[in-house]
Amino acid sequence: MGHAKKSAALRSDAQRNRDRILEVALAELTRSAGTPLSAIAKKAGVGQGTFYRNFPSREALVLEVYRYEVEQVADAACELLCGRPPELALREWMDRLAQYAMAKAGLADALREATSARGTMKQVAHGPLTEAVTHLLDANEQAGTIRPGVTPDDFMLAIAGLWLIDPHSDWQARAGRLLDLVMDGLRAGAPGPSSPAGD
């Protein structure tokens, strides 16, 4: 029993270390693709051994950072829908997606340096993000807050400008304006809430 408890505690420590490394690596690699791995380990407060056990190469780290960020964005959709009206959840999630777009742009150099995994990046993001968008659009369509019939593909095409914004510019203001325009377009022709129905 004590042994099981001890190994569970070790596992959660290991998980915490891993998450910490990924958080630090995301921030550092987005800022500068060439950040040394030793600097990331130091800032994350883990020893070199722990670091290389988790991420034996630069490529492994960069791909895992990217996968981690995709996961955070996808999970945010459910969290926002749990605590906010669908319309607000969708708009806030679009801001989170803009953050991801900037991180992805920042990580692109690191990925180019570490790997030729352009295809891998696309596959990693596609499923979770499409699922999150579907979830948000469905909730809004049911609430009558967006025009009916918008598909996840329509949505991704409408926000495609996000991927063109320079992360080193005043990207937050530019992304905000773009996303407000998209949101206005989604609201145009929304039927509004229908008469209350049972679940």
Side-chain angles (χ1 to χ4, degrees):
M1 186 85 166
H3 181 69
K5 222 175 229 171
K6 197 172 174 184
S7 62
L10 278 173
R11 261 200 311 277
S12 70
D13 271 358
Q15 189 57 51
R16 261 197 302 279
N17 279 339
R18 190 180 169 80
D19 286 351
R20 177 92 189 111
I21 292 169
L22 290 170
E23 272 167 42
V24 168
L26 175 65
E28 294 300 313
L29 291 171
T30 300
R31 209 176 6 255
S32 164
T35 305
L37 298 186
S38 57
I40 293 170
K42 194 173 179 183
K43 200 158 185 184
V46 299
Q48 300 282 339
T50 300
F51 186 92
Y52 286 105
R53 216 175 14 258
N54 278 288
F55 306 105
S57 68
R58 192 172 189 87
E59 180 175 346
L61 174 69
V62 172
L63 277 173
E64 205 45 54
V65 164
Y66 181 64
R67 190 174 284 121
Y68 175 78
E69 173 62 353
V70 167
E71 210 174 89
Q72 302 295 307
V73 181
D75 289 350
C78 282
E79 284 161 28
L80 287 165
L81 276 170
C82 283
R84 291 164 180 68
E87 200 179 357
L88 209 57
L90 176 61
R91 184 61 189 81
E92 282 191 36
W93 188 78
M94 285 158 78
D95 284 336
R96 185 64 185 83
L97 192 66
Q99 254 180 7
Y100 156 75
M102 295 309 106
K104 185 182 174 188
L107 284 174
D109 289 341
L111 274 151
R112 259 195 302 278
E113 283 182 19
T115 175
S116 57
R118 311 276 326 146
T120 317
M121 282 176 76
K122 213 166 181 152
Q123 288 150 13
V124 165
H126 189 263
L129 293 187
T130 303
E131 209 172 294
V133 171
T134 306
H135 202 37
L136 286 155
L137 292 176
D138 285 352
N140 276 280
E141 194 168 327
Q142 278 166 24
T145 45
I146 61 170
R147 61 170 63 205
V150 179
T151 69
D153 276 351
D154 296 337
F155 177 84
M156 287 305 198
L157 279 170
I159 59 147
L162 273 183
W163 317 110
L164 303 175
I165 296 173
D166 177 358
H168 305 297
S169 68
D170 179 16
W171 68 264
Q172 273 167 308
R174 299 187 72 185
R177 287 196 299 274
L178 171 75
L179 295 175
D180 283 343
L181 272 174
V182 172
M183 199 67 205
D184 288 347
L186 289 170
R187 286 189 189 109
S194 53
S195 55
D199 287 336

